[in-house]
């Protein structure tokens, strides 16, 4: 794990699985617009949470790129799942702003619910094709920008799937 502090917030990067973050109040789903199961992160979260999770998400669907909604976290060790629809790279424009909106909206929802710890995957960098380095810069800069405004959030963790992804995020963390 590596970490850096911005104001009262600790930003952490770890290699691991988003569904295995028992010390986090909220985890974030890299969702699809219909808020159903899918591949990658959405598949991992829904395979733990369904059928209860899908019953909850159904009433919020569909969502638009950049939006986020919050549900409970059935069969998961967390209190909340925040479902974000990231932009499809090269299709949903402006993709940098839409990706930033995902992080802003998810962090605001978590903060409103008094979550202290939140774990994100690298939204849009899998099936949606966002280049990981550019996506990591947007993610980290957004946390830094908001870090003075939170009432409850103290830890923002990025959970990276592979060692390569972790190392790439480490490089970006050193730039910030
Ligand atoms: N924990 C942490 N990171 C993971 C996990 C996991 N269990 N599984 C994959 N990743 P993706 P997107 C990484 O495709 O690009 C889905 O099918 C992965 O290596 O989950 O936002 C949905 O249904 C990548 O770096 O999300 C949507 O249709 C990152 O998480 C669509 O894919 C995001 O990959 C969303 O695409």
């Amino acid at each position: 794990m590596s970490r850096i502090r911005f104001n009262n917030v600790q930003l952490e990067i770890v290699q691991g699985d988003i569904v295995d973050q028992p010390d986090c109040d909220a985890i974030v789903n890299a969702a699809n617009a219909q808020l159903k199961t899918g591949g990658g992160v959405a598949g991992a979260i829904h395979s733990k949470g369904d059928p209860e999770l899908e019953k909850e998400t159904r009433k919020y669907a569909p969502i638009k790129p950049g939006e986020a909604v919050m549900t409970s976290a059935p069969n998961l060790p967390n209190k909340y799942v925040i479902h974000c629809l990231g932009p499809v790279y090269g299709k949903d424009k402006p993709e940098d702003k839409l990706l930033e909106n995902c992080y802003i909206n998810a962090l605001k929802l978590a903060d409103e619910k008094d979550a202290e710890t939140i774990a994100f995957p690298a939204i849009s960098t899998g099936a949606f094709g966002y280049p990981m380095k550019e996506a990591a810069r947007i993610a980290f800069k957004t946390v830094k920008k908001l870090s003075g405004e939170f009432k409850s959030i103290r830890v923002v963790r990025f959970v990276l799937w592979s060692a390569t992804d972790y190392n790439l995020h480490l490089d970006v963390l050193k730039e910030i």
Side-chain angles (χ1 to χ4, degrees):
M1 180 197 287
S2 295
R3 49 171 75 109
I4 187 170
R5 180 161 284 281
F6 301 128
N7 296 302
N8 289 330
V9 176
Q10 179 165 289
L11 188 160
E12 304 176 346
I13 59 171
V14 298
Q15 188 188 344
D17 190 330
I18 195 74
V19 297
D20 188 21
Q21 306 301 319
D23 56 340
C24 286
D25 296 323
I27 59 168
V28 176
N29 183 12
N32 49 66
Q34 295 305 322
L35 301 174
K36 291 191 168 164
T37 191
V41 170
I45 292 178
H46 278 273
S47 70
K48 294 264 182 194
D50 284 351
E52 293 89 342
L53 184 61
E54 209 268 336
K55 271 188 206 148
E56 278 194 64
T57 56
R58 197 182 296 158
K59 51 187 179 231
Y60 297 111
I63 62 168
K64 297 194 186 77
E67 289 182 348
V69 299
M70 182 185 250
T71 63
S72 72
N75 311 314
L76 287 152
N78 319 97
K79 285 189 204 156
Y80 308 111
V81 180
I82 298 173
H83 307 260
C84 288
L85 179 61
V88 176
Y89 194 73
K91 174 173 169 273
D92 297 318
K93 306 273 182 187
E95 47 230 338
D96 54 347
K97 187 64 200 152
L98 293 172
L99 186 62
E100 183 186 15
N101 285 348
C102 284
Y103 286 100
I104 293 172
N105 290 326
L107 289 163
K108 285 193 171 157
L109 278 176
D111 202 48
E112 280 164 17
K113 290 284 184 186
D114 296 327
E116 293 184 7
T117 43
I118 177 169
F120 283 94
I123 298 170
S124 282
T125 66
F128 285 178
Y130 213 114
M132 194 168 274
K133 212 164 199 173
E134 282 178 42
R137 283 193 191 106
I138 291 166
F140 293 169
K141 280 184 185 161
T142 307
V143 174
K144 185 176 183 183
K145 195 159 81 179
L146 296 182
S147 62
E149 298 173 19
F150 299 131
K151 67 179 167 58
S152 65
I153 294 176
R154 295 288 170 264
V155 174
V156 180
R157 179 179 299 163
F158 288 85
V159 181
L160 293 323
W161 187 239
S162 70
T164 309
D165 298 346
Y166 174 86
N167 287 327
L168 195 144
H169 279 75
L170 189 58
D171 290 343
V172 176
L173 202 61
K174 288 174 187 159
E175 287 173 12
I176 298 287

